[in-house]
Amino acid sequence: MLTVDEVLHLPVVQAADPQVLCGTGMDAPLRWVHVTESTENIDLLLGRELILTTLRNVSDVRAFITALREAGAVGVIIEDLSGAPLDVADLGLPVIALRTTTRFVSITEVIHQKLVAEQLEAVQFSRTVHEIYTGLSLTEADEAQIVDRTAQLLSAPVVLEDVRHHVLAQSGAQLEHWITRSRFVGFLEHTGRATGTENWLQTPVGAVRSRWGRLIVPAVLEDDDRAALVLERAGQALTIARLSGRDQRELLYQVRTSTLHELQAGHSYSDKDIAIRTQALGLAAAPYYVPVVISLAGSGTPTETQLADRALLEVLDQLADTLHLRILAGSLKPGYLGLILPLRARELLDSTLQGFTRRLAEQLTAPVAIGVGPEGTLATSIAGLEEAAQVAQIVPHLPTRAQPYYRFADLRLRGVLSAMGSDPKLRTFALAELSGLLNPLDLAALDLLDLYLAHGGNKTALAKAGYLSRPTLYSRLAKLEAKLGVQLDSAESRASLQVALLWYRMHG
């Protein structure tokens, strides 16, 4: 913006033989030029005006200039042909004396032309910035592209970080010790420079009630006002990009989920119809497919479970992109995500599953249960999601989880009991077998029975595992037999109790 010092060096002013009487504040930008000859017009000032005067009706020059300063004027130019000294050097406002006759209209004309030109140029710049970021939004530019374009417009480094100071995108910035440095720069709810060890220009990014980051220029700039304009438009474009991407992903997840549910429902779709519908949602065409279900059951409240499902779906999409696997994934029910993995050959089944589950475990902070159904055609794989879901539901109840994923055959008796969990006959059998320990409930006796069966009825091994003397153990087992009403030495009794106890642990 045009400053008082720049006005001083204009040819029209230099031609009037200027003399600086007070040089304080010469770098102040001015908004307009005003001519006045008395204190009566001072109330008309709005601020940041450069005052032209001949002091014709001014009796007290110091009081006059002081009043101008207090009204917001940024400088005073006086036509002073008398040569008499003016005592104004300490008034804190630029004062310039013109020692030859000049026409004020010539000065105001030049200054107004420059101010108007600046305003027009600022309007054009704002329009250009608006068009640039509108174009980026319409072409669905990602965060990195928006940050790169912003850095080009500002000719300065730019960093986009999240609320934890993690760098999401950057262009031309020095990132050494970034997180440590950034933590000492407070977040602002407006565009500006925050106080702190790093005087960075920043703007918040995200909706007002859900800020997810900020855009930063970690550098000194020539024009903060213009940079702020660019940053604000960039922040808006980043917010739109995030919301647009989230809306697109959410819609895609909903469509994938509804499609999986519809195909699982057993409608009479041909193999061709199934292939067309799933491939339209991104699933690769392949000779074989394998159904996989990932369980997040027990992750918290329904809302927390839903958020965890959405987060895991995003992880699955990113992982599939990394591994160049075009999968189909959706939510089967809260806490259970189903996906169909394409296979180029049956021989690649185990290597594909091992690579996918290993990389998935690396991406997650909490363990998940993974069930795998039978591989085959696309229709077979979709039907197999139910079996895979049953497996994923059982896996958390296994005594040990040594495998990254499980099939039904890996679960053995637990798999059968899980599949038959709602059978009333099995329920009656299990509760009858354990009735002596359930009415009333005796948790200690149930735990002892569990340990006894886990050691195959070997009392010596059980005594060592439970740090019990044999007399104490024999006494407790005798009481256990009395409550159950069976002989624990009988293999048939142990088998019946094993089935009943497993059912009770899973469904009781």
Side-chain angles (χ1 to χ4, degrees), residues 397-411:
H397 300 286
L398 296 177
T400 58
R401 291 168 61 178
Q403 299 175 205
Y405 57 88
Y406 287 83
R407 297 182 176 89
F408 217 107
D410 300 321
L411 304 178

Side-chain angles (χ1 to χ4, degrees), residues 85-96:
L86 296 175
D87 183 19
V88 297
D90 60 340
L91 296 183
L93 185 72
V95 179
I96 300 169

Side-chain angles (χ1 to χ4, degrees), residues 105-154:
V105 67
S106 300
I107 297 176
T108 57
E109 184 179 30
V110 173
I111 293 176
H112 287 168
Q113 287 176 349
K114 287 186 173 293
L115 290 175
V116 170
E118 282 184 353
Q119 292 169 1
L120 289 175
E121 197 273 335
V123 170
Q124 182 59 43
F125 179 77
S126 177
R127 179 180 176 181
T128 300
V129 170
H130 174 76
E131 291 175 348
I132 289 173
Y133 286 105
T134 299
L136 289 172
S137 296
L138 292 176
T139 57
E140 298 181 344
D142 60 20
E143 287 86 348
Q145 291 172 315
I146 294 172
V147 169
D148 284 342
R149 192 70 180 94
T150 304
Q152 293 173 8
L153 285 172
L154 297 178

Side-chain angles (χ1 to χ4, degrees), residues 19-98:
Q19 178 185 12
V20 177
L21 304 180
C22 179
T24 304
M26 293 291 290
D27 58 346
L30 57 123
R31 182 183 56 81
W32 205 240
V33 182
H34 187 72
V35 179
T36 185
E37 298 295 348
S38 70
T39 58
E40 295 178 359
N41 298 325
I42 291 180
D43 291 341
L44 300 177
L45 300 182
L46 299 177
R48 290 175 51 199
E49 289 95 348
L50 176 66
I51 305 302
L52 305 183
T53 182
T54 62
L55 300 178
R56 185 173 304 161
N57 299 317
V58 175
S59 58
D60 188 338
V61 175
R62 288 181 60 85
F64 176 65
I65 294 177
T66 300
L68 290 174
R69 184 193 65 204
E70 293 175 352
V74 295
V76 181
I77 293 180
I78 301 171
E79 185 185 67
D80 181 22
L81 305 180
S82 65
L86 296 175
D87 183 19
V88 297
D90 60 340
L91 296 183
L93 185 72
V95 179
I96 300 169
L98 304 182

